[in-house]
């Protein structure tokens, strides 16, 4: 009876919102999500939410709203008997899923500006801290949104939502969630016979396998993804996958193969006039040259990245680290130390980047076993907590050092 009286006290638009809120994935939502759902400006949506809170049909905490199970059940019951009709429900859900896609894409563009997406993204809505906070708060809703998009007949939205999430999933090493959402996205793309979606999701699956240490599975998936990208004619997508594949070759100490892949990707990126892909290819090529013991050639490539004004901190930091390693190969520890100091001044989004700094510093202090071990232990702890396959090799190195 209390819920019935509360509902009767609402204005018509607030009643509509009350019913539509059952469509929201996850346990809580923001005013922006509610505005997308009812297709109203924020200034008109906020008073409706205030009504629902005043009637205790919603609760508000830390700028997020929650519809408790009793209110949700009531909303389902009245929606069967009154407006909105089912014809209005489907567009509302589509708007909400599109809002999650747009916002996740904007947030991921801030976290990794050089990550290639099948559709252009905007980085204007977030700072890096806000982007991480938004993903952390919405991760459960995003997971359900991926599955929901497939279930209600929006396969393209399904795989695009996964694509928008991927930079954050990789940054946080959320392998279980990555595996789950890429599985739904791949199935949706296959069902829709969407070759672009299949190529994107297979590239994502390969990168997940690589980061988890399954090099054989990653190589197989990358090769298949390249075939799919070739069929689509989307050469930027082909270059993106080629760069990821080349990084697999580097991790497997096949730097000669990696070098050829990076060179091909660089040529494609320049043809497509995609500066972000070009910078990633230059950075990877420098790493491959370094792995082949050619520090001067490596520095030539890496300087293309370090001197570019558009290079974001997430790419600039590893570039400086590899440049430091190149100077160590050239037996120039002073320049190496200077570059590591520059790296220390950059904001760090990926904790593994800090481990890479410590690994090079360990090499820099190889003449001092105590300092060397300190840096190796720090790197090992980060890599182990991140599930990085290099942790095992580093543990063996520490065992050999003893102490």
């Amino acid at each position: 009876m209390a819920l019935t009286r509360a509902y009767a006290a609402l204005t018509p638009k607030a009643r509509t919102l009350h019913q539509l809120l059952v469509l929201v994935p996850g346990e809580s939502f923001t005013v922006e999500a509610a505005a997308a759902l009812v297709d109203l400006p924020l200034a008109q949506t906020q008073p409706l939410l205030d009504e629902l809170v005043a009637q205790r049909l919603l609760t508000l905490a830390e700028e997020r709203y929650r519809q408790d199970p009793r209110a949700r059940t009531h909303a389902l019951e009245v929606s069967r008997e009154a407006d909105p009709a089912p014809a209005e429900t489907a567009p509302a859900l589509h708007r909400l899923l599109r809002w999650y896609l747009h916002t996740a894409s904007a947030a991921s563009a801030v976290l990794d500006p050089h990550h290639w997406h099948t559709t252009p993204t905007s980085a204007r809505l977030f700072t890096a801290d806000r982007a991480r906070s938004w993903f952390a708060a919405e991760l459960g809703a995003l997971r359900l949104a991926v599955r929901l998009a497939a279930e209600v007949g929006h396969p393209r939205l399904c795989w695009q939502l996964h694509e928008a999430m991927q930079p954050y999933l990789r940054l946080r090493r959320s392998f279980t969630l990555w595996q789950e959402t890429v599985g739904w996205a791949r199935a949706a793309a296959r069902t829709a016979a969407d070759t672009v979606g299949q190529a994107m999701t297979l590239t994502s699956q390969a990168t997940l396998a690589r980061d988890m240490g399954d090099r054989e599975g990653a190589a197989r998936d990358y090769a298949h993804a390249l075939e799919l990208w070739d069929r689509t004619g989307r050469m930027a997508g082909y270059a993106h996958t080629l760069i990821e594949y080349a990084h697999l070759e580097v991790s497997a100490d096949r730097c000669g193969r990696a070098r050829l892949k990076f060179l091909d990707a660089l040529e494609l990126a320049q043809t497509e006039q995609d500066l972000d892909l070009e910078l990633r290819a230059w950075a990877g090529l420098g790493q491959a040259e370094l792995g082949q013991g050619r520090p001067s050639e490596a520095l030539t490539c890496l300087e293309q990245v370090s001197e570019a004004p558009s290079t974001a901190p997430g790419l600039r930091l590893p570039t400086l680290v590899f440049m430091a390693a190149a100077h160590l190969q050239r037996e120039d520890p002073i320049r190496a130390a200077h570059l590591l100091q520059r790296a220390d001044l950059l904001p760090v989004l990926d904790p593994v980047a800090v481990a890479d700094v410590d690994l090079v510093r360990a090499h820099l202090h190889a003449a001092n076993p105590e300092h060397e071990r300190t840096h190796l232990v720090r790197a090992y702890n980060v890599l182990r907590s991140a599930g990085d396959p290099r942790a095992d090799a580093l543990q063996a190195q520490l065992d050999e050092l003893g102490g």
Side-chain angles (χ1 to χ4, degrees), residues 73-107:
T73 299
H74 177 267
L76 284 169
E77 291 174 350
V78 296
S79 67
R80 297 190 185 102
E81 303 169 359
D83 292 332
E88 186 178 339
T89 301
L93 179 57
H94 186 257
R95 287 193 302 268
L96 182 62
L97 294 174
R98 291 288 303 174
W99 176 81
Y100 276 113
L101 172 62
H102 170 80
T103 314
S105 296

Side-chain angles (χ1 to χ4, degrees), residues 226 235-246 249 255-274 277-278 280-282 284-285 288-289:
L226 288 173
M235 289 300 100
Y238 190 100
H240 164 68
T241 297
L242 203 55
I243 289 170
E244 297 291 352
Y245 196 173
E249 303 284 24
C255 290
R257 295 184 188 180
R259 181 178 180 275
L260 295 176
K261 288 182 172 64
F262 282 127
L263 283 170
D264 287 345
L266 179 60
E267 183 179 355
L268 286 171
Q270 291 172 336
T271 300
E272 295 291 313
Q273 297 184 335
D274 191 316
L277 280 173
E278 184 179 340
R280 286 176 54 206
W282 276 120
L285 184 58
E289 296 282 16

Side-chain angles (χ1 to χ4, degrees), residues 35-369:
L37 194 62
V38 292
D39 198 21
L40 290 174
L42 293 179
Q44 295 180 34
T45 305
Q46 186 64 65
L48 303 181
L49 292 170
D50 292 341
E51 277 192 64
L52 294 173
V53 171
Q55 295 298 330
R56 299 185 180 180
L57 293 169
L58 284 181
T59 56
L60 172 63
E62 298 180 353
E63 299 184 348
R64 296 188 68 84
Y65 296 89
R66 187 182 301 269
Q67 189 178 47
D68 69 37
R70 290 178 63 251
R72 191 176 183 89
T73 299
H74 177 267
L76 284 169
E77 291 174 350
V78 296
S79 67
R80 297 190 185 102
E81 303 169 359
D83 292 332
E88 186 178 339
T89 301
L93 179 57
H94 186 257
R95 287 193 302 268
L96 182 62
L97 294 174
R98 291 288 303 174
W99 176 81
Y100 276 113
L101 172 62
H102 170 80
T103 314
S105 296
S108 67
V110 173
L111 296 179
D112 189 354
H114 299 290
H115 182 83
W116 183 81
H117 290 80
T118 57
T119 54
T121 59
S122 168
R124 293 179 296 175
L125 299 179
F126 290 97
T127 62
D129 286 341
R130 281 193 62 212
R132 282 182 294 188
S133 298
W134 185 85
F135 267 117
E138 300 286 1
L139 201 56
L142 286 167
R143 170 189 173 273
L144 293 174
V146 173
R147 187 175 68 181
L148 187 59
E151 291 176 349
V152 299
H154 295 300
R156 184 174 178 82
L157 265 176
C158 174
W159 64 258
Q160 286 180 325
L161 279 162
H162 167 74
E163 181 182 34
M165 294 171 63
Q166 188 191 343
Y168 180 79
L169 296 175
R170 187 175 185 187
L171 185 68
R172 301 301 300 173
R173 301 315 192 269
S174 299
F175 293 149
T176 300
L177 185 54
W178 188 345
Q179 189 169 37
E180 187 176 38
T181 55
V182 78
W184 293 333
R186 283 203 67 207
R190 285 197 303 266
T191 300
D194 186 333
T195 308
V196 171
Q198 291 178 65
M200 188 287 297
T201 53
L202 195 55
T203 299
S204 176
Q205 179 174 289
T207 303
L208 171 61
R210 184 194 71 196
D211 287 359
M212 293 181 68
D214 180 8
R215 291 173 179 164
E216 183 177 342
R220 181 179 61 250
D221 288 341
Y222 278 136
H224 187 195
L226 288 173
E227 294 175 4
L228 292 170
W229 282 120
D230 191 47
R231 284 166 49 191
T232 69
R234 301 281 292 269
M235 289 300 100
Y238 190 100
H240 164 68
T241 297
L242 203 55
I243 289 170
E244 297 291 352
Y245 196 173
H247 280 295
L248 170 67
E249 303 284 24
V250 170
S251 68
D253 293 324
R254 297 191 291 262
C255 290
R257 295 184 188 180
R259 181 178 180 275
L260 295 176
K261 288 182 172 64
F262 282 127
L263 283 170
D264 287 345
L266 179 60
E267 183 179 355
L268 286 171
Q270 291 172 336
T271 300
E272 295 291 313
Q273 297 184 335
D274 191 316
L275 182 58
D276 288 327
L277 280 173
E278 184 179 340
L279 291 173
R280 286 176 54 206
W282 276 120
L285 184 58
Q287 189 179 0
E289 296 282 16
L290 187 63
Q292 291 191 288
R294 294 199 287 260
S296 296
E297 290 83 350
L299 286 169
T300 298
C301 298
L302 294 167
E303 284 166 0
Q304 297 287 332
V305 186
S306 67
E307 295 175 4
S310 62
T311 302
L315 183 60
R316 191 176 297 278
L317 192 151
T319 297
L320 293 176
V321 172
F322 290 130
M323 290 176 71
H327 280 299
L328 284 177
Q329 281 193 13
R330 298 176 68 179
E331 299 183 355
D332 189 347
I334 294 177
R335 287 191 180 181
H338 175 66
L339 287 163
L340 291 175
Q341 288 173 351
R342 285 177 58 189
D344 288 339
L345 298 176
L346 293 172
V348 178
L349 295 178
D350 185 354
V352 172
V354 178
D356 291 332
V357 173
D358 275 313
L359 289 173
V360 177
R361 276 211 168 93
H363 188 190
L364 181 64
H365 295 290
N368 186 323

